[in-house]
Amino acid sequence: MGTYFHSVTLDESRCRGCTNCIKRCPTEAIRVRKSKARIINERCIDCGECIRVCPYHAKQAISDPFNLIYSFKYRVAVPAPSLYGQFKNAASRNHILTALKGMGFHRVYEVAKAAEIVSDATRKLIQEEWVNKPLISSACPAVVRLIQVRFPSLIDNIVKLESPMEVAAKIVRKEVMDSLKLSSEDIGVFFITPCAAKVTSVKAPYEKENSNVDGVLSIKDIYLKILNSLGKIKNAEDLEQAGFEGIRWANSGGESLALGTEKFLAVDGIHNVITILDEIENDRIEDVDFIEALACNGGCLGGPLTVENLYVAKTRLKKYIDQAKDKDLPQKEIDKYDDLVWTGNVEYKPVMKLDKDMVKAMKKLETLELIHKELPGLDCGACGAPSCRALAEDIVRENANETDCIFKLREKVRDLAIQMMELEKKMPPVLDKESEPTKGGIEDEC
Amino acid sequence: MGLSDGTIKMSFTILPDDLTAAGEASSSMKKMLNQLGVSPQLVKKAAIAMYEAEINAVIHGGGGIADIIIDGQKIEILIRDEGPGIPDLELAMQEGYSTASDEIREMGFGAGMGLPNMKRYSDELIIHSEVGKGTSVKIIVNFY
Ligand SMILES: Nc1ncnc2c1ncn2[C@@H]1O[C@H](COP(=O)(O)OP(=O)(O)OP(=O)(O)O)[C@@H](O)[C@H]1O
Ligand code: SF4
Ligand SMILES: [Mg+2]
C-alpha cells in the first residue's frame, strides 16, 4: 500500500475518455490522457462523484472481497446506519441485522450505537472554551480530505474525535476479547460501507496509524445476499441496540440533531459543501457552532455504494427511526471523551502548490496566468483538463502542452499553413520562372 | 513578458449589486496564494480582508475594480469604486456601524463588521474616500 491509497480507481477497459468526470471532480484530480481518464492520486479525496457521473461505470470503488471474512476465527459485522434504508420488505431492523449475521458472522454491532457515543462526546466538546468554532464534523472522511487539500485553514475546526465506525470496532473487539478470551488477531471486524471514502479511511487512516477495522464490504456487494435471506427469517434475533439518534446519522442533519443545540448548519453534496467551507473561510457564517458537512447528496443514504434510491431509502429509514423512538433504548452516557480523541492529526496537504520554492512558484504562477490569458476560456474539456486554467496549470507543471488545446492547435496549423504557402511561393532560383530576368510578367501575357 | 519584475498582477471587475458574483475575485486570489504555497493562516487573513472589501464595493460602492499585486514578501490588494464615498471614515470603522438597507440585511450583510474585520486581518489598511467621488481600499498582508 503506497502513500496514497485510494478506494476510487479506474477500470481502463471501460473508460472511453469522455470528459464527464473531469468536470465534476471537486479537487480537479482527473485528466484525460490518451483517451483514458487518469486520477491524480495526491488530490483525490474519494468522494465518489466520478463514480456517480461516469456513464460507462469505469470508475469503481475497491472494497474487500467477501471471502476475506473467513481468514478470521471470529467474525463481526459493523453495519453503517445507511444499510437500514436499503430493503423494501424488512419487517424490522432486527430482521436486517439477523440476515446480515447469517451471512457468516458471529456477531453484529451497530455503528449507530457507537454514533450515539460520539454524539455524546461531541456535545461535551462543544462546551469547551478552547475549541475553534464553528466545529466541523469529521463524520465524512471525504470532507476531511477536502479540507486537507483545499481548505487548510479550517483544519483546526475539525472535530478530532474517532468516527462511529472506529468506536464501534474498538468496543466490539474489546468485548469479544474479554468475554471469549480471544486474541485480537483472531477477531475480524468488518465494516459494511455506503462509500469509497470509508474504505480509504480504513486502509489509509489520516488520524492514526491503524484502523480498528479489518475489512470493508460494500453495501452493493452484499445487498442481494441479505435480500435473499431476509425472506427466510422466521424469528429474528434481538440485535438492535441503537436508539433513534444513532440511526438518524444516516441522514443529512442527523448528527447535528443529536447535539441539542440549534446553532448548527447541515450541508450535503460535495459542491454545496465547498460553498459553505468557502463562506466559513471568509468568516461569513455567524451564530453557528457546529457544521455537519457530508459529501453525498442527502448524506450517507446517498452514498455511492448504496443500492436504493436516496429518497426511497429516506422514507424507509424514517420507519426505523420511529420504531426506535418507541423502544427508547437506554442511552449510555459517557463521562469523558478523552479516549475518543484522535491520536494523530490531519496535516495540510499542499498539493496545489506549484513549487516548493516560493520564488519558483511565483515564476510559474506568472507564466500560468499568461498562458491562461491566451487560452480561449471555453473550459470545453477537450484538452483533457477540467478548465482552461487547469490546462495552463498542467502546462507550467510540464504535464501538458499548449497545443493540447484544440483551438491553439488550430491556430498553430493555420500559421503553419500560411508559412507553407509562403514557402511554396519561394522556388529555388533555377526553377523559378517568375524571378527570371525576362521582362514578361503575368500582366504582359494577358 | 514572462520574467518581468518578479511580481504577479491581476485585475478583476467587481459587478454592482450582484451578490452572487461577489467573492469571485477573492476566491481566485485564494487559489493563487495556495498555489504559491503561502501558509493557510495568511491565506485566510487575506481572503477575509479582500472579501469584505469586495462586498463593500458591491453593496455600497456600485461595483468597481480589484487589483492584486503579489511579490515574494506580501500581497497588496487594491479595491476601488466610484460610488458615494464614506462621509465619516472614523465612524464607519466602528464595529456595528452600518448604513446597509433592510434588504441587504436580510441577505446576511450589514452587521457593520466589514471594515473592522479588514483592519483586524490586514497588516496594513489604507482607505481613501471622497464623498461623491468614490472609495479606494488598500489591504496589505505580509508573508513573513
Ligand atoms: N466602498 C464603500 N462605499 C461607500 N460606503 C462604504 C463603503 N464601504 C463601507 N462603506 C460605509 O461604511 C459602513 C460600514 O462598512 P462595513 O463594511 O464595516 O459594514 P457593512 O458593510 O455595513 O456591514 P457588513 O460588512 O458587516 O456586512 C457601511 O455601512 C457604509 O455606510
Ligand atoms: S457522506 Fe457518508 S456515504 Fe458519502 S462519502 Fe461521506 S461518509 Fe461516505
Ligand atoms: Mg461590509
Side-chain angles (χ1 to χ4, degrees):
Chain A
M1 213 161 294
T3 353
Y4 292 109
F5 169 88
H6 284 293
S7 171
V8 174
T9 43
L10 180 83
D11 178 351
E12 282 223 356
S13 63
R14 288 186 174 171
C15 177
R16 301 217 197 152
C18 74
T19 54
N20 282 304
C21 57
I22 57 175
K23 291 264 173 193
R24 285 296 292 181
C25 177
T27 54
E28 298 191 331
I30 313 175
R31 300 290 184 277
V32 177
R33 295 270 175 274
K34 300 198 171 88
S35 304
K36 299 287 169 199
R38 299 260 178 285
I39 302 174
I40 305 171
N41 274 330
E42 315 80 282
R43 290 191 184 190
C44 172
I45 59 170
D46 288 288
C47 64
E49 277 298 293
C50 54
I51 297 181
R52 265 187 271 261
V53 79
C54 177
Y56 308 108
H57 306 290
K59 294 285 193 335
Q60 346 166 290
I62 302 288
S63 53
D64 289 311
F66 187 77
N67 282 342
L68 186 69
I69 72 166
Y70 299 113
S71 15
F72 295 88
K73 241 205 232 144
Y74 192 91
R75 305 180 281 275
V76 186
V78 290
S82 42
L83 180 72
Y84 309 139
Q86 309 300 313
F87 306 98
K88 212 178 298 179
N89 301 321
S92 71
R93 239 187 325 143
N94 271 335
H95 282 78
I96 298 173
L97 294 169
T98 306
L100 173 64
K101 192 176 167 202
M103 288 178 73
F105 295 99
H106 297 96
R107 207 176 148 179
V108 289
Y109 184 94
E110 298 183 88
V111 170
K113 179 73 211 160
E116 288 166 22
I117 297 169
V118 176
S119 285
D120 201 24
T122 314
R123 270 196 292 271
K124 296 200 162 64
L125 187 69
I126 264 187
Q127 307 295 332
E128 302 278 4
E129 289 277 320
W130 52 267
V131 294
N132 284 304
K133 299 248 178 90
L135 280 171
I136 302 173
S137 162
S138 54
C140 176
V143 169
V144 173
R145 287 178 201 273
L146 174 73
I147 291 175
Q148 269 183 299
V149 302
R150 267 190 73 169
F151 298 94
S153 77
L154 300 178
I155 287 179
D156 293 339
N157 297 57
I158 296 173
V159 173
K160 295 184 179 73
L161 295 176
E162 300 246 43
S163 67
M165 170 188 79
E166 289 294 334
V167 175
K170 199 150 101 182
I171 292 176
V172 74
R173 182 183 299 278
K174 188 161 184 311
E175 275 181 22
V176 173
M177 280 166 70
D178 291 351
S179 62
L180 299 175
K181 304 276 170 285
L182 283 171
S183 75
S184 185
E185 298 85 69
D186 290 334
I187 307 165
V189 180
F190 287 81
F191 178 62
I192 313 301
T193 188
C195 66
K198 285 283 185 190
V199 181
T200 303
S201 77
V202 167
K203 307 289 173 188
Y206 38 68
E207 78 280 21
K208 56 178 168 184
E209 283 280 308
N210 291 304
S211 167
N212 295 307
V213 176
D214 298 290
V216 189
L217 307 172
S218 87
I219 290 183
K220 238 186 187 159
D221 288 351
I222 62 165
Y223 172 77
L224 277 181
K225 281 192 195 146
I226 297 187
L227 194 67
N228 284 336
S229 53
L230 259 180
K232 296 173 197 135
I233 295 171
K234 284 181 209 87
N235 297 312
E237 248 185 278
D238 188 15
L239 299 167
E240 291 175 12
Q241 273 189 297
F244 72 95
E245 289 199 329
I247 305 170
R248 205 164 48 184
W249 273 60
N251 272 329
S252 171
E255 182 188 4
S256 305
L257 286 169
L259 292 177
T261 171
E262 275 170 17
K263 294 182 169 185
F264 71 81
L265 183 160
V267 55
D268 54 85
I270 194 77
H271 295 280
N272 299 330
V273 168
I274 289 171
T275 310
I276 293 298
L277 294 181
D278 244 325
E279 299 245 311
I280 303 173
E281 210 165 46
N282 289 345
D283 219 10
R284 288 310 308 193
I285 303 275
E286 281 158 32
D287 271 337
V288 170
D289 287 346
F290 186 80
I291 306 275
E292 178 184 335
L294 298 168
C296 300
N297 284 327
C300 300
L301 279 181
L305 301 181
T306 58
V307 177
E308 190 51 273
N309 168 282
L310 161 66
Y311 300 96
V312 177
K314 262 193 176 162
T315 310
R316 296 223 181 101
L317 192 80
K318 192 170 174 302
K319 180 175 100 186
Y320 301 123
I321 293 173
D322 293 343
Q323 283 178 357
K325 267 184 193 159
D326 294 341
K327 252 190 167 175
D328 202 19
L329 287 148
Q331 265 250 35
K332 193 171 75 189
E333 289 278 323
I334 54 158
D335 26 275
K336 56 184 179 59
Y337 58 82
D338 296 18
D339 40 340
L340 293 189
V341 174
W342 288 356
T343 49
N345 197 357
V346 290
E347 289 165 11
Y348 171 29
K349 283 207 209 144
V351 294
M352 303 296 171
K353 217 186 214 179
L354 293 170
D355 203 291
K356 279 194 219 89
D357 178 349
M358 171 107 160
V359 179
K360 285 188 189 145
M362 290 269 302
K363 294 234 166 81
K364 287 188 182 168
L365 182 58
E366 199 178 350
T367 318
L368 188 162
E369 294 300 346
L370 284 175
I371 297 170
H372 182 201
K373 249 184 230 150
E374 294 301 314
L375 293 172
L378 294 173
D379 295 341
C380 69
C383 59
S387 65
C388 296
R389 195 174 190 280
L391 176 65
E393 185 184 333
D394 290 348
I395 296 171
V396 298
R397 288 185 194 275
E398 295 177 8
N399 294 325
N401 297 306
E402 211 164 351
T403 46
D404 291 350
C405 170
I406 50 165
F407 299 91
K408 282 278 147 192
L409 183 68
R410 265 202 355 224
E411 240 171 61
K412 262 253 162 72
V413 170
R414 189 182 302 126
D415 287 353
L416 277 175
I418 292 169
Q419 273 182 35
M420 268 164 65
M421 306 254 283
E422 269 160 13
L423 276 175
E424 209 205 1
K425 279 187 208 146
K426 286 192 195 129
M427 290 291 206
V430 267
L431 297 176
D432 196 342
K433 287 176 192 140
E434 282 184 26
S435 62
E436 261 173 65
T438 50
K439 268 171 212 141
I442 294 169
E443 286 118 311
D444 289 0
E445 272 163 29
C446 313
Chain B
M1 271 210 301
L3 315 175
S4 56
D5 52 353
T7 64
I8 292 162
K9 298 189 185 77
M10 286 287 278
S11 201
F12 305 87
T13 311
I14 304 170
L15 298 171
D17 302 321
D18 188 353
L19 281 169
T20 48
E24 273 173 14
S26 47
S27 277
S28 307
M29 184 276 300
K30 217 152 67 173
K31 197 163 184 184
M32 289 167 76
L33 292 190
N34 279 331
Q35 287 183 317
L36 290 178
V38 173
S39 91
Q41 296 315 323
L42 293 175
V43 178
K44 183 173 179 168
K45 275 175 66 172
I48 295 178
M50 178 166 178
Y51 179 78
E52 293 288 2
E54 205 183 330
I55 290 284
N56 278 358
V58 174
I59 296 178
H60 311 293
I65 289 171
D67 287 305
I68 60 175
I69 305 169
I70 307 171
D71 64 30
Q73 309 294 315
K74 64 178 182 304
I75 175 163
E76 240 181 79
I77 301 158
L78 191 69
I79 309 242
R80 286 169 292 154
D81 65 61
E82 293 178 359
I86 307 172
D88 186 341
L89 191 56
E90 213 176 306
L91 184 63
M93 290 299 297
Q94 285 177 13
E95 281 190 18
Y97 176 82
S98 173
T99 59
S101 66
D102 287 348
E103 283 155 304
I104 296 288
R105 275 171 218 269
E106 269 163 30
M107 301 198 64
F109 300 95
M113 287 306 293
L115 287 168
N117 268 346
M118 275 179 243
K119 179 102 202 136
R120 197 164 117 217
Y121 288 105
S122 58
D123 292 314
E124 217 177 304
L125 177 70
I126 303 158
I127 301 176
H128 289 293
S129 191
E130 212 175 307
V131 175
K133 288 235 167 108
T135 304
S136 82
V137 176
K138 187 182 194 173
I139 295 158
I140 296 178
V141 174
N142 295 321
F143 295 159
Y144 298 100

